[in-house]
């Protein structure tokens, strides 16, 4: 398998919510790629469009007002935005599966774990109940669930948060998908349980070879999980870089602010560095670069237009006027 | 430095009812025999995972829920079960900032009403003009604009709402403030602002905080002393340096190692200890060490009752193994 081969390519995606009197640009001209076998982290604060852009891939955004206004999402060369519902169903759960944040609401409380796990196998792989059960047990073992056979007959309410998330992961993996979208999979969990799940996901990644999009607001989790990171703010991509590069040499002022506003173990200052102001809400997003009202380097230009993306030879991409005017040397 | 808060053998049990005549089946031991002191002007960080009882400790101290047993000494006076005038007086001196600024502010009250409520109830103001001046001053201090005084909470963002909560808590000029996961619901870039505000206010007003949080990096930043809770008990307690640099209890060690590494340096230095299994429920917990079921070093002796014992200069730990190790080290020296 070619490491550099692109599996998914999102180009100029625009996902808007259209109300009677206003248009909310939740995702506004977003582009990024996912390569085969890689884990791409998407990081950003609430309302930055990180979940919406990923749910757009399978058209899973649940709102009657949603409009895919432009751009394309190429999964293995086919545009999923143009697909019919029937074609999308063939992708969902088979080629691309999703791990949601809240495992209690993502699992159906009225069906047993086994019923829910087997659903995808019966639909996509046309397995018999007996074979499907065997496969489920195999995958529950993979996610280290004790007594997997008994687990099949249990209902989600009787499981702890960590166990539910394990079941979700097993469910996502069972059809051997090419891409897994993990939307804040550990946010609802306690730290020690989060550590277990992250460890498990890292181990499984090496075995399955699936690509993964890992959405989170937690920079620590991103730095442990992702190979490459996309930083989003106000519906736009600010910066894309390899994980190590991003944490050592963040270029966008927002990324820098985000990294510095977390106290690290060797920080002994008296106050934390702060990004002033508030996270903008969708209905009064500033013009130009959405970050400019909070940015220490903002100039007049920043309020007028969103900066063009600058791409460096090592793949580091940044959208900030500060670098558009600078010389070629990084 | 004098102790502003001293908690002795605090217990909080919640009865579990059931059956036909709803008799008590047993107790959830949310807080089980906890003792600690907070010195004036310091910050005690209380950490632990969900369900370990850390919020219950905060609420019980403030008298928001009555304690089952134990003493709560505030400035040397036992305030457990205080009523009437005394309770009124304590309420002025002790305040709380809740986790969720969306549900902790009354949606029908304006910011002005929210902030002034405590001052009016405590009869701390001298007429309308004085009240207005005090509210304005508080809003400015907490990074809000006095023009916004007539707005309602829903018109503010999460960070600003938390600023309102803080202004409201500080309005009665308290001496002791419980911050119950005060920044957990906020975005990362806003968390830092609120943490700095809490620190500013502490310096300005000489406050003492009980800072309850599950976020270790924030606790490490803001606290002077740290107590680690597990299933209703404090398993380790000490200064920030003692806990973060020399954690003695296996649970503290695992908890510290579980927090995702951030910088490259942290990643290199870190060896993760993965715990088996989930957090058990505090409903009829085991007699001995409550962590024994998940502990990588558990031995049969751990089933016996454990005591919180001092290792050195106030570094307390509830673990047989850590205590033995410390003893051995001491002998060698």
């Amino acid at each position: 398998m070619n490491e550099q081969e692109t599996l998914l390519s999102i180009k100029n995606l625009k996902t808007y919510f259209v109300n009677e009197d206003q248009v909310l640009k939740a995702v506004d001209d977003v582009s990024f790629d996912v390569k085969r076998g890689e884990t791409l982290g998407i990081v950003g604060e609430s309302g930055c469009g990180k979940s919406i852009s990923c749910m757009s891939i399978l058209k899973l955004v649940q709102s009657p007002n949603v409009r895919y206004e432009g751009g394309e999402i190429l999964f293995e060369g086919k545009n999923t935005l143009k697909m019919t519902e029937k074609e999308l169903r063939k992708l969902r759960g088979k080629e691309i599966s999703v791990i949601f944040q809240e495992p209690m609401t993502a699992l159906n409380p009225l069906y047993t774990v086994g019923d829910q796990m087997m659903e995808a196998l019966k639909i996509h792989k046309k397995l018999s109940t007996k074979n499907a059960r065997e496969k489920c047990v195999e995958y529950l073992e993979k996610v280290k669930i004790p007594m997997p056979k008994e687990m099949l007959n249990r209902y989600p309410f009787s499981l702890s948060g960590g166990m539910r998330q394990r079941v979700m992961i097993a469910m996502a993996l069972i059809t051997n998908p090419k891409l897994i979208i993990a939307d804040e999979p550990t946010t609802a969990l306690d730290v020690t349980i989060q550590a277990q799940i992250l460890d498990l996901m890292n181990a499984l990644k090496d075995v399955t070879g699936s690509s993964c999009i890992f959405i989170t607001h937690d920079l620590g989790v991103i730095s442990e999980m992702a190979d490459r990171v996309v930083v989003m703010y106000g519906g736009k991509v600010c910066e894309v870089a390899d994980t190590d590069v991003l944490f050592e040499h963040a270029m966008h002022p927002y990324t820098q602010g985000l990294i510095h506003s977390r106290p690290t173990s060797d920080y002994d200052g008296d106050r934390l560095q702060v990004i002033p102001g508030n996270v903008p809400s969708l209905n009064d997003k500033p013009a130009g670069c959405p970050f400019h009202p909070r940015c220490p380097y903002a100039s007049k230009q920043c309020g007028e237009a969103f900066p063009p993306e600058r791409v460096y030879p090592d793949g580091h991409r940044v959208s900030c006027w500060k670098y558009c005017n600078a010389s070629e040397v990084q | 430095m004098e102790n502003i808060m001293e908690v002795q053998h605090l217990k909080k049990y919640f009865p579990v009812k059931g059956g036909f005549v709803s008799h008590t089946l047993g107790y959830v031991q949310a807080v089980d025999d906890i003792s600690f002191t907070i010195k004036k002007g310091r910050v005690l960080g209380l950490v632990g995972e969900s369900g370990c009882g850390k919020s219950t400790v905060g609420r019980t101290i403030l008298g928001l829920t009555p304690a089952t047993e134990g003493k709560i000494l505030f400035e040397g006076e036992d305030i457990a079960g205080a009523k009437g005038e005394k309770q009124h007086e304590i309420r002025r001196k002790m305040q709380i900032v809740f986790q969720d600024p969306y549900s902790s502010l009354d949606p029908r009250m304006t910011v002005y009403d929210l902030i002034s409520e405590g001052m009016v109830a405590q009869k701390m103001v001298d007429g309308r003009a004085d009240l207005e001046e005090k509210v304005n001053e508080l809003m400015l201090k907490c990074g809000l604009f006095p023009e916004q005084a007539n707005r309602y909470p829903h018109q503010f963002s999460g960070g600003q709402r938390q600023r309102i909560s803080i202004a409201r808590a500080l309005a009665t000029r308290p001496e002791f403030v419980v911050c119950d996961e005060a920044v957990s619901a906020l975005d990362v870039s806003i968390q830092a602002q609120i943490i700095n505000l809490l620190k500013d206010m502490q310096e300005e007003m000489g406050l003492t905080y009980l800072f309850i949080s599950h976020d270790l990096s924030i606790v490490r930043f803001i606290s002077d002393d740290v107590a680690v809770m597990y299933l209703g008990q404090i398993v380790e307690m000490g200064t920030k340096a003692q806990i973060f640099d020399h954690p003695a209890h296996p649970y503290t060690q695992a908890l510290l190692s579980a927090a995702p590494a951030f910088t490259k340096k942290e990643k290199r230095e870190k060896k993760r200890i993965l715990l088996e299994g989930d957090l058990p429920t505090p409903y009829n917990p085991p007699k001995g060490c409550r962590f024994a079921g998940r502990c990588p070093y558990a031995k049969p002796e751990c089933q016996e009752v454990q005591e919180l014992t001092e290792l050195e200069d106030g570094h307390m730990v509830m673990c047989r193994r850590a205590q033995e190790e410390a003893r051995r080290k001491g002998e060698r020296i």
Side-chain angles (χ1 to χ4, degrees):
Chain A
M1 204 188 287
N2 184 356
E3 278 260 307
Q4 292 305 310
E5 200 186 327
T6 303
L7 177 72
L8 176 89
S9 170
I10 296 184
K11 286 181 186 152
N12 309 98
L13 176 69
K14 290 180 181 147
T15 307
Y16 295 169
F17 293 93
V18 182
N19 289 343
E20 290 140 23
D21 48 353
Q22 58 185 353
V23 177
L24 303 177
K25 299 182 176 181
V27 177
D28 195 9
D29 207 356
V30 161
S31 306
F32 58 82
D33 292 340
V34 183
K35 303 200 175 80
R36 274 187 204 274
E38 101 171 323
T39 300
L40 180 78
I42 302 186
V43 70
E45 297 176 291
S46 51
C48 74
K50 54 189 192 302
S51 292
I52 301 289
S53 54
C54 291
M55 291 306 139
S56 301
I57 298 170
L58 288 172
K59 289 213 210 162
L60 282 177
V61 183
Q62 298 209 334
S63 163
N65 299 330
V66 68
R67 303 279 180 278
Y68 302 99
E69 291 285 340
E72 51 185 9
I73 298 174
L74 298 176
F75 178 73
E76 297 193 306
K78 281 176 288 210
N79 189 352
T80 62
L81 288 181
K82 293 263 157 63
M83 283 184 184
T84 60
E85 196 61 16
K86 208 174 163 190
E87 287 170 309
L88 277 170
R89 280 188 164 203
K90 286 192 180 143
L91 282 185
R92 288 181 190 147
K94 188 180 178 214
E95 308 281 338
I96 305 175
S97 44
V98 187
I99 302 171
F100 293 97
Q101 170 175 359
E102 217 355 287
M104 191 63 231
T105 47
L107 292 170
N108 190 329
L110 298 177
Y111 289 92
T112 61
V113 168
D115 288 340
Q116 300 186 52
M117 285 188 77
M118 287 189 290
E119 190 185 3
L121 288 174
K122 284 180 178 168
I123 293 170
H124 292 306
K125 305 256 159 154
K126 308 269 186 294
L127 290 184
S128 67
T129 307
K130 189 168 162 268
N131 290 342
R133 278 189 89 87
E134 276 166 18
K135 190 124 196 194
C136 290
V137 171
E138 182 194 327
Y139 273 84
L140 287 174
E141 270 167 8
K142 270 193 189 165
V143 295
K144 304 206 176 90
I145 283 181
M147 301 193 292
K149 277 211 179 93
E150 285 72 18
M151 177 61 80
L152 289 179
N153 297 324
R154 290 175 69 174
Y155 287 89
F157 77 87
S158 63
L159 309 177
S160 66
M163 278 299 158
R164 276 181 218 144
Q165 205 54 293
R166 278 168 201 266
V167 169
M168 282 296 291
I169 292 170
M171 246 163 106
L173 292 175
I174 202 159
T175 50
N176 237 333
K178 293 182 177 127
L179 177 68
I180 298 165
I181 301 171
D183 187 0
E184 306 248 12
T186 59
T187 307
L189 304 176
D190 278 315
V191 234
T192 57
I193 310 296
Q194 167 172 295
Q196 289 174 359
I197 298 288
L198 293 183
D199 194 66
L200 173 75
M201 289 185 77
N202 260 331
L204 289 172
K205 201 166 72 180
D206 298 339
V207 181
T208 59
S210 307
S211 304
C212 181
I213 300 181
F214 202 99
I215 307 169
T216 179
H217 67 278
D218 189 330
L219 287 167
V221 171
I222 278 281
S223 87
E224 296 227 335
M225 296 301 294
D227 302 317
R228 235 157 30 101
V229 183
V230 174
V231 183
M232 286 187 71
Y233 186 84
K236 300 266 191 192
V237 172
C238 321
E239 189 166 5
V240 183
D242 288 343
T243 310
D244 291 340
V245 176
L246 189 86
F247 283 92
E248 305 263 304
H249 308 286
M251 293 180 77
H252 198 283
Y254 173 62
T255 320
Q256 289 171 352
L258 210 55
I259 290 175
H260 289 132
S261 61
R262 292 290 295 170
T264 51
S265 57
D266 40 11
Y267 181 73
D268 54 357
D270 194 35
R271 291 289 183 276
L272 292 171
Q273 282 190 35
V274 153
I275 307 177
N278 293 306
V279 182
S281 70
L282 278 179
N283 49 20
D284 58 4
K285 223 162 54 174
C289 171
F291 187 60
H292 84 268
R294 304 175 72 190
C295 181
Y297 308 104
S299 63
K300 195 166 154 270
Q301 204 173 14
C302 301
E304 285 161 1
F306 189 74
E309 190 171 62
R310 179 141 190 199
V311 184
Y312 291 93
D314 63 347
H316 199 147
R317 290 160 49 189
V318 63
S319 294
C320 178
W321 283 113
K322 198 177 145 198
Y323 300 103
C324 291
N325 309 326
S327 62
E328 283 302 311
V329 192
Q330 189 178 345
Chain B
M1 251 183 295
E2 52 172 321
N3 290 338
I4 187 165
M5 172 62 69
E6 193 170 345
V7 172
Q8 295 173 351
H9 305 289
L10 182 69
K11 287 184 187 174
K12 176 70 198 174
Y13 291 180
F14 294 102
V16 176
K17 308 233 171 176
F20 178 57
V21 284
S22 91
H23 55 275
T24 305
L25 298 174
Y27 291 95
V28 169
Q29 306 184 358
V31 177
D32 195 17
D33 202 357
I34 274 186
S35 305
F36 61 87
T37 55
I38 309 176
K39 292 203 171 79
K40 200 168 169 58
R42 284 175 80 90
V43 180
L44 175 70
L46 192 57
V47 295
E49 295 178 279
S50 52
C52 74
K54 54 191 191 304
S55 291
T56 311
V57 170
R59 300 178 65 95
T60 317
I61 288 178
L62 293 183
L64 296 178
T65 165
T68 309
E69 236 182 274
K71 278 185 177 170
I72 303 161
L73 303 175
F74 179 69
E75 296 180 323
E77 258 183 286
D78 190 3
I79 56 164
K83 286 203 177 65
E85 217 160 278
K86 195 164 168 207
Q87 187 186 42
H88 195 64
E89 172 66 17
I90 299 160
R91 290 256 155 107
R92 184 186 77 71
K93 290 183 176 170
M94 297 163 80
Q95 287 287 339
I96 183 164
V97 178
F98 290 102
Q99 167 173 11
D100 185 3
Y102 292 82
S103 57
S104 63
L105 297 173
D106 188 335
R108 296 204 197 183
M109 287 168 85
T110 62
V111 174
Y112 185 87
D113 295 337
L114 283 164
I115 297 176
S116 59
E117 192 183 20
M119 290 191 278
V120 174
Q122 294 284 351
K123 303 196 178 64
M124 294 172 66
V125 282
D126 197 15
R128 196 172 289 266
D130 183 37
L131 179 65
E132 212 160 289
E133 192 182 312
K134 280 189 172 148
V135 171
N136 281 357
E137 190 192 318
L138 266 165
M139 287 185 78
L140 280 172
K141 251 192 215 169
C142 294
L144 296 159
F145 299 104
E147 304 87 272
Q148 298 169 330
N150 290 320
R151 294 204 195 166
Y152 290 89
H154 74 263
Q155 293 169 294
F156 292 87
S157 67
Q160 282 172 309
R161 272 183 239 199
Q162 204 56 301
R163 287 176 192 274
I164 299 169
S165 303
I166 292 170
R168 178 176 154 85
L170 300 182
T172 57
R173 308 211 124 259
E175 286 156 37
F176 177 75
V177 179
V178 175
C179 304
D180 188 359
E181 301 269 13
V183 298
S184 310
L186 305 175
D187 275 315
V188 188
S189 70
I190 307 299
Q191 277 187 357
Q193 295 176 1
I194 299 297
I195 294 282
N196 282 356
L197 174 66
L198 287 170
K199 277 210 137 186
D200 289 340
M201 291 297 127
Q202 189 200 8
E203 271 167 31
E204 207 180 308
M205 304 174 67
L207 296 170
T208 308
Y209 288 137
L210 174 65
F211 195 87
I212 302 171
S213 177
H214 69 277
D215 190 328
L216 292 160
S217 57
I218 286 173
V219 169
R220 179 179 216 147
F221 177 74
I222 201 166
S223 311
D224 300 304
D225 305 299
V226 178
V228 182
M229 278 188 78
Y230 187 81
L231 271 194
Q233 294 179 327
I234 289 180
V235 293
E236 189 167 4
M237 189 161 52
T239 62
K240 175 163 68 172
Q242 283 168 342
I243 299 289
F244 282 97
D245 299 339
H246 307 288
H249 197 283
Y251 177 66
T252 316
Q253 291 167 355
L255 198 64
L256 290 177
S257 82
F262 200 67
T263 57
K264 247 186 176 171
K265 185 169 156 264
E266 280 180 346
K267 266 191 216 170
R268 252 199 324 270
E269 286 170 359
K270 177 174 266 175
K271 232 184 98 210
R272 182 166 278 174
I273 308 162
L274 277 182
L275 291 178
E276 301 270 320
D278 291 315
L279 204 70
T281 69
Y283 177 66
N284 294 342
K287 269 220 165 53
C289 173
R290 295 187 174 182
F291 183 62
R294 296 172 80 194
C295 182
Y297 313 110
K299 281 195 183 145
E301 302 93 275
C302 295
Q303 305 301 330
E304 295 161 28
V305 178
Q306 306 271 316
E307 294 277 336
L308 199 62
T309 325
E310 189 165 5
L311 292 184
E312 47 169 11
D313 318 325
H315 188 178
M316 312 277 276
V317 68
M318 190 189 275
C319 174
R320 215 159 267 264
R321 181 173 169 270
Q323 289 154 10
E324 267 164 29
E325 239 171 47
R327 216 171 298 138
R328 242 180 287 138
K329 245 189 227 164
E331 275 164 20
R332 237 180 283 147
I333 299 162

